[in-house]
Amino acid sequence: MPWKLLESTHGYIFTWIIGYSALLGPIAGILIVDYYLIRKTQLDADQLYLNDGKYSYGNGWNNIAIIALIVGILPNIPGFLYASFPDLFPDVGSVFRLIYTYAWFVGLTVAALVYGILMKRNVQPAIIINEKNPALPG
């Protein structure tokens, strides 16, 4: 029922838009830290498209990024529940309501910090290609 989102500006702005930004902020934080701080803006474009390339991680998922995403979303959940269902969650503290007001920034900051700290120790080295036979590593 998308018309329920547009029924009032309060529901659309403070529930849908901020709730959506609570998910996008952590994603932006992870992408920014990975590209600028971890990879130093250097990507191997060919490796991006290989199933077993240096960016494939475990079964195609970077578990550290998943952890950072979840941790980045967590502080915003109480405020989202209060904004969405104030009658069901009346006891949500004012701190969580304030955090939810800045959901994108909070999510970006928390996820970026978690991802940066955990990935500093787990960056995979570049794959060295054997120049004599490019099909063989090292």
Side-chain angles (χ1 to χ4, degrees), residues 2 6 13-15 17 19 43 48 58 61 64-65 72 91 95 97-98 107 109-110 114 120 129 131-132 138:
L6 299 174
I13 293 172
F14 296 106
T15 305
I17 298 275
L43 292 176
L48 288 170
W61 294 91
I64 293 173
D91 298 331
V95 171
R97 287 188 245 164
L98 180 64
T109 304
V110 170
V114 169
K120 269 297 194 201
I129 302 298
E131 291 179 16
K132 294 176 188 165

Side-chain angles (χ1 to χ4, degrees), residues 32-40 57 62 64-65 68 111-125:
I32 290 168
V33 167
D34 190 72
Y35 184 70
Y36 288 104
L37 300 179
I38 304 296
R39 311 275 178 221
K40 309 237 187 292
Y57 299 98
N62 181 344
I64 293 173
L113 288 172
V114 169
Y115 185 76
I117 290 167
L118 294 178
M119 277 300 287
K120 269 297 194 201
R121 296 183 221 141
N122 292 308
V123 173
Q124 296 178 351

Side-chain angles (χ1 to χ4, degrees), residues 47-64:
Q47 291 289 318
L48 288 170
Y49 300 100
L50 296 176
N51 287 334
D52 59 346
K54 68 181 176 182
Y55 304 116
S56 64
Y57 299 98
N59 294 325
W61 294 91
N62 181 344
N63 291 328
I64 293 173

Side-chain angles (χ1 to χ4, degrees), residues 71-93:
V71 172
I73 292 169
L74 284 177
N76 296 308
I77 290 176
F80 174 75
L81 292 174
Y82 177 78
S84 300
F85 313 105
D87 295 335
L88 294 175
F89 299 96
D91 298 331
V92 172

Side-chain angles (χ1 to χ4, degrees), residues 4-18 83:
K4 286 301 231 178
L5 289 174
L6 299 174
E7 187 174 46
S8 74
T9 57
H10 180 16
Y12 180 69
I13 293 172
F14 296 106
T15 305
W16 169 247
I17 298 275
I18 295 177

